[in-house]
């Protein structure tokens, strides 16, 4: 039996190669990393608790003082003329028929005071203490000329710099330390080696910075909304009108300043291989936030110092909005200061990317900045 071999025609089409999986682009990798970081943080009970705590603290600080102070004084009035004057002063007026009825209401403590008219003029009846608001409303005040009607209330002038400084300080420190701990934890558990094999190192850095910035900004926006609601409920519109322009500038300054510091914190975490070593390298970064914070808080009445601080990248996010609130900055100054801060942030991000690449995969203890700069890509 003759065996014949059957050969496949040479012109038959070759089998199609398996499709190649498209490579992940830089921005796709950034989106994956930032989404992972945000999702992890939103499941963190400590983060959620701190957010709720700050919201309750904000609402409480704006609503409770008004609630504890009580409502306007209630006044029993005999006659329509006094009723109109007291009502215009914001007091709650209850009209009664005669003086005896007014006395009975005061003795029963149904009203805070009573105003009655007699042969000897208008008299104020009270139980055991002179009602200052009622007396002031009935007094004839001389005309007053305000030489500086837009002057900032001294109490508000102290509180606003303190609030701006505390928001930027605590947010930068809290989220910054969390960024450093996240980077060090990935190095310590060697998860970073898997991540670097999948996405570019710079995408890993960008994802962490974007995630932390998004969470920080979201938390600040929620707190700001809570403050606005609290002021609306307590009818503190006058203060809100004064603070609103400064808040409008504080937001972009906060965003750019936080991105600058977040990049530095990421490098801080990449320089060490153990969580226990973060404290030894993070002190200089904390000083970059701590020193400007105290400089703005205690030096906001020094116009020369505040002018300088409003152009220094690490203090500008707080100093410039404070100067705007106090009316000490020209219209062009916040634009120039923000551009300087933006340029500084870009430069720091480029520097941080180089140091991050040079230190992220080094797990043999603490890495110096010089070694991280030399070992880029090794």
């Amino acid at each position: 039996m003759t065996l014949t071999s059957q050969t496949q025609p040479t012109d038959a089409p070759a089998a199609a190669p398996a499709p190649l999986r498209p490579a992940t682009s830089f921005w796709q990798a950034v989106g994956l990393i930032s989404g992972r970081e945000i999702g992890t943080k939103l499941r963190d009970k400590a983060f959620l608790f701190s957010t709720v705590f700050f919201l309750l603290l904000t609402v409480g600080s704006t609503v409770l003082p008004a609630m504890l102070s009580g409502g306007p004084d209630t006044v029993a009035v005999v006659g329509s003329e006094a009723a109109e004057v007291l009502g215009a002063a914001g007091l709650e007026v209850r009209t009664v028929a005669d003086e005896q009825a007014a006395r009975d209401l005061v003795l029963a403590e149904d009203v805070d005071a009573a105003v009655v008219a007699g042969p000897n003029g208008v008299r104020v009846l009270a139980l055991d203490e002179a009602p200052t608001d009622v007396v002031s409303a009935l007094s004839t005040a001389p005309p007053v000329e305000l030489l500086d009607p837009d002057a900032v209330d001294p109490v508000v002038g102290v509180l606003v710099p303190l609030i701006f400084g505390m928001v930027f300080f605590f947010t930068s420190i809290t989220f910054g330390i969390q960024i450093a701990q996240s980077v060090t934890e990935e190095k310590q558990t060697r998860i970073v080696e898997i991540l670097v094999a999948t996405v570019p190192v710079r995408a890993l850095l960008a994802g962490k910075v974007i995630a932390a910035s998004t969470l920080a900004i979201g938390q600040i926006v929620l707190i700001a909304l809570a403050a606005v609601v609290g002021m609306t409920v307590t009818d503190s519109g006058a203060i809100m009108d004064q603070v609103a322009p400064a808040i409008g500038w504080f937001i972009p300054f906060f965003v750019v300043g936080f991105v600058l510091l977040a990049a530095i914190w990421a490098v801080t975490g990449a320089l060490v291989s153990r969580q226990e070593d973060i404290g030894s390298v993070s002190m200089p970064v904390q000083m970059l936030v701590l020193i400007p914070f105290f400089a703005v808080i205690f030096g906001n009445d020094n116009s020369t110092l505040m002018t300088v601080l409003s152009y220094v990248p690490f203090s500008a996010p707080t100093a410039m909005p404070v100067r705007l609130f106090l009316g000490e900055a020209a219209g062009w100054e916040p634009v120039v200061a923000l551009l300087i801060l933006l340029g500084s942030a870009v430069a720091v991000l480029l520097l941080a990317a180089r140091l991050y690449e040079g230190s992220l995969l080094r797990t043999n203890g603490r890495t110096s900045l010089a070694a991280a700069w030399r070992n880029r890509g090794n």
Side-chain angles (χ1 to χ4, degrees), residues 99-193:
E99 179 177 339
Q100 187 58 48
R103 286 179 176 274
D104 292 341
L105 290 175
V106 172
L107 291 172
E109 298 186 17
D110 291 335
V111 296
D112 298 303
V115 176
V116 297
N120 297 324
V122 176
R123 290 177 297 142
V124 177
L125 307 178
L127 189 63
D128 55 7
E129 184 178 357
T132 306
D133 292 344
V134 176
V135 174
S136 299
L138 294 173
S139 302
T140 302
V144 178
E145 179 183 357
L146 300 178
L147 301 179
D148 189 6
D150 297 325
V152 177
D153 182 270
V155 176
V156 179
V158 172
L159 289 178
V160 169
L162 181 63
I163 292 172
F164 281 159
M166 290 182 64
V167 167
F168 188 72
F169 172 76
F170 284 110
T171 304
S172 302
I173 292 293
T174 301
F175 281 92
I177 291 177
Q178 291 173 359
I179 293 172
Q181 289 175 340
S182 174
V183 174
T184 305
E185 181 182 2
E186 291 174 353
K187 288 186 64 174
Q188 192 170 356
T189 58
R190 297 196 178 269
I191 293 177
V192 69
E193 298 175 8

Side-chain angles (χ1 to χ4, degrees), residues 66-84:
M67 293 178 61
L68 294 176
S69 62
D73 288 345
T74 304
V75 186
V77 180
V78 180
S80 59
E81 294 183 3
E84 293 179 1

